[in-house]
Amino acid sequence: MNRSRPTAQALILLILLGIGAVAAFSPSNSRGWLLAANTAQLAAWVCGISVPLGTLLALVLARTDVPGRRAFLLALSWLLFLPLYLQVGAWQAGFGLQGWQTLSGFGPPWLDGWRGAVWVHAAAAIPWVVLIVSIGLRNVRPELEESALLDASAWHVFYRVTLRHAAPLVVAATLWVAIGVAGEIAVTDLFQIRTYAEELYTEMAIGAAPHEAPLRALPGIAITAWAALAGIFIIARFAPRERQVSIRPRLIFLFGVWRWPLAVLMACAVLLLVGLPLVNLAWKCGVVVVQSTEGRERHWSLLKGASIVASSPLRFGREIRSSLVVGSVAATATVVLATMLAWSSRCRSTASAILISVIVLGLAVPGPVIGLCIIWMFNTPHWNWAHTLYDRTILPPVCAQTIRALPLACLVLWHAFHTLPTSLMEAAALDGANAWTTFRRVALPQRRFTILISWWVALAVAVGEMGATILVTPPGIEPLSVRISGLLHYGVEDQVAGICLALALAFIVLSALLVLLANRWTRTAGSQDRH
């Protein structure tokens, strides 16, 4: 990425965001700053739990000889693509108002209010921290570590070289988690935590005018945008364009006799994050209440649980079809736009500035604000055609989900295109190929698996999006995220647990397929880069 003009234009963007924040900091908007403070408090708690734990997991799983590392990483990768509303339902099935812990007489619900919101967000964020920090640990050049081993011990190299080069990605992971917490309402709406995104959704739900809400959201948007822009520059600096590919294997740090105890600890952590939510859903699906002379007795039935899970796709078939249709269209539009922006940013500074702006604003603006903007756009007076599109097509939710998925797809494809070998680009230019020919015959074949992976990622984000979709869904179309979110407010019943478990199993297959594609692309790209 060009380092000069995009930086200057990004600074202009920062100044504009600062002006907006100062304009919002007024006595009439004091509630907006209180909501921003509430959001910052929630993000701080979540980062304080997820970042240290996720970093420790990444250190052990990425660069040590602990047995079962790949299996643990595969299990955690499943949580990356599991929508947040499904994770909320899984934890509520065990420790919510109608969870097994409460119904078994172990006291009041363990997950309620701030405690519930912090834990669910932290459990969902830990896999993202593991992924981001693992990328930093795996990208440390083996030559640096091998050179340091000549003068110091392995653990000294691990602390002074490996961790030092991965530290920027720890900061980036912290910013990513904070940004994700700030813009989500699936958890805060259920646990009644007043963040600025949740407040916007509540105001719209009770019938507030669309133009009254954005001013209160401006402080939170400005702060989140600053965090997003900082994260982008950290990633850009960590992954320079002219990086030379190393063919040496990564240095693996040996734990000796401690490797098996650490494997047991890693297994316990993965079972807590992955296994316990699945057990909660399975218990809720199969629990049977029998009236006896001593009162109501509960026992678990495998037959009932299996029948509930098997019939859930049929019971929620209309919602599943709506989610897949809208999500597929949104994912396709997302990948097309992200590919154009990422490829153009490789050679044009203006396109780089546009790409940065898209990523920053897409991450900073919460879902309810995106929904408000779409409502305003389609409700413009004297535009009857826009009213027809809003009431009778899937275009509004497609736009909402595309905007929400676009930043992540842009980040993936930006990194993919900017790490293409420069020699290939120069050879194509010497042969007289223009930008379009180079993209079609060089870049696209080299990064086709990355584009496919980004489509799967965009589909997972689109299917799980709720903050904007819930506001712009037309009559007759009810995505699964909206339906399940509404049902969770009444407790996790067996049918809700059944569809959550069925979708969780489906996402396990999806994540496994995605990991296989990623491994294949990594091997292909590595062999092509070496040749």
Side-chain angles (χ1 to χ4, degrees):
M1 182 179 293
N2 190 287
R3 305 292 191 204
S4 56
R5 289 184 60 186
T7 303
Q9 296 179 22
L11 289 176
I12 295 175
L13 177 62
L14 278 177
I15 294 173
L16 293 177
L17 291 172
I19 294 174
V22 171
F25 186 57
S26 61
S28 61
N29 198 34
S30 58
R31 181 166 176 78
W33 284 96
L34 291 176
L35 292 172
N38 218 23
T39 305
Q41 181 181 356
L42 177 62
W45 277 105
V46 173
C47 291
I49 295 174
S50 62
V51 174
L53 293 179
T55 302
L56 288 176
L57 285 172
L59 292 175
V60 175
L61 297 179
R63 298 297 302 275
T64 68
D65 63 338
V66 172
R69 300 187 306 277
R70 292 187 177 181
F72 297 152
L73 287 172
L74 180 61
L76 290 175
S77 68
W78 165 68
L79 290 178
L80 292 175
F81 305 102
L82 190 67
L84 193 56
Y85 63 86
L86 292 182
Q87 299 190 47
V88 175
W91 287 108
Q92 283 286 88
F95 308 102
L97 185 60
Q98 297 183 14
W100 63 262
Q101 168 260 327
T102 307
L103 297 179
S104 300
F106 291 103
W110 292 350
L111 297 182
D112 190 22
W114 276 90
R115 182 169 50 193
V118 169
W119 172 250
V120 173
H121 267 304
I126 286 175
W128 284 104
V129 178
V130 173
L131 172 66
I132 296 172
V133 177
S134 296
I135 292 174
L137 293 170
R138 289 175 179 271
N139 284 342
V140 179
R141 298 193 63 185
E143 292 84 357
L144 296 176
E145 296 172 328
E146 293 172 0
S147 176
L149 279 176
L150 299 176
D151 301 318
S153 64
W155 289 110
H156 187 78
V157 173
F158 183 73
Y159 175 74
R160 297 298 298 273
V161 178
T162 308
L163 288 184
R164 183 176 180 181
H165 282 78
L169 268 295
V170 177
V171 179
T174 304
L175 295 174
W176 178 264
V177 172
I179 291 168
V181 171
E184 284 288 347
I185 66 170
V187 177
T188 54
D189 182 54
L190 186 64
F191 291 107
Q192 297 299 304
I193 303 299
R194 303 256 67 89
T195 61
Y196 74 92
E198 168 62 21
E199 186 75 7
L200 290 174
Y201 167 69
T202 303
E203 290 185 358
M204 289 301 299
I206 63 177
H211 64 275
E212 296 176 358
L215 181 62
R216 269 194 286 273
L218 192 54
I221 293 174
I223 294 172
T224 310
W226 277 71
L229 191 59
I232 290 173
F233 277 101
I234 290 173
I235 295 174
R237 184 172 182 179
F238 182 80
R241 182 173 178 176
E242 300 298 333
R243 188 183 186 116
Q244 183 181 359
V245 177
S246 175
I247 62 175
R248 299 196 180 198
R250 302 182 189 93
L251 180 65
I252 298 298
F253 296 93
L254 307 179
F255 274 102
V257 296
W258 293 100
R259 57 197 298 262
W260 286 106
L262 276 175
V264 173
L265 289 177
M266 293 298 103
C268 292
V270 172
L271 287 176
L272 173 65
L273 296 173
V274 178
L276 187 55
L278 291 177
V279 171
N280 292 339
L281 292 174
W283 178 89
K284 195 65 179 181
C285 291
V287 67
V288 177
V289 180
V290 179
Q291 186 69 35
S292 65
T293 56
E294 299 180 356
R296 294 184 176 181
E297 297 181 356
R298 293 179 175 86
H299 66 274
W300 190 77
S301 170
L302 176 61
L303 181 61
K304 183 200 172 185
S307 63
I308 289 290
V309 174
S311 61
S312 293
L314 295 177
R315 186 178 297 109
F316 293 88
R318 184 171 62 89
E319 292 82 0
I320 293 176
R321 286 192 296 271
S322 298
S323 295
L324 290 178
V325 170
V326 176
S328 299
V329 176
T332 303
T334 297
V335 170
V336 171
L337 292 174
T339 302
M340 294 171 57
L341 289 171
W343 175 249
S344 299
S345 68
R346 182 180 172 93
C347 9
R348 299 177 183 175
S349 58
T350 303
S352 298
I354 294 175
L355 180 70
I356 293 174
S357 302
V358 167
I359 295 174
V360 169
L361 295 178
L363 292 175
V365 179
V369 174
I370 295 175
L372 292 177
C373 295
I374 293 175
I375 292 173
W376 173 82
M377 181 177 64
F378 282 93
N379 281 338
T380 303
H382 310 299
W383 286 9
N384 294 330
W385 59 270
H387 302 164
T388 302
L389 291 175
Y390 183 77
D391 293 331
R392 300 182 182 180
T393 69
I394 63 172
L395 185 59
V398 166
C399 292
Q401 294 178 8
T402 299
I403 295 172
R404 295 292 283 171
L406 189 58
L408 187 56
C410 284
L411 284 172
V412 173
L413 293 175
W414 169 81
H415 180 269
F417 288 139
H418 279 257
T419 53
L420 283 170
T422 306
S423 57
L424 292 178
M425 303 296 103
E426 294 175 348
L430 290 176
D431 291 338
N434 55 23
W436 165 246
T437 304
T438 303
F439 169 76
R440 184 166 54 89
R441 296 192 175 183
V442 179
L444 192 59
Q446 291 277 328
R447 295 297 183 252
R448 61 185 182 275
F449 289 113
T450 309
I451 294 175
L452 179 59
I453 290 172
S454 66
W455 189 89
W456 282 110
V457 171
L459 178 63
V461 173
V463 171
E465 207 288 321
M466 192 191 72
T469 305
I470 197 172
L471 295 177
V472 300
T473 301
I477 297 177
E478 188 176 20
L480 195 61
S481 59
V482 178
R483 177 72 186 281
I484 292 181
S485 178
L487 293 175
L488 288 177
H489 286 82
Y490 301 99
V492 183
E493 301 292 345
D494 53 358
Q495 294 184 1
V496 180
I499 186 60
C500 289
L501 184 57
L503 291 173
L505 296 177
F507 273 98
I508 289 177
V509 177
L510 173 64
S511 62
L513 178 61
L514 192 60
V515 169
L516 290 176
L517 288 173
N519 289 336
R520 181 179 176 183
W521 168 74
T522 301
R523 291 194 299 268
T524 304
S527 62
Q528 290 174 344
D529 289 344
R530 285 193 294 268
H531 291 293

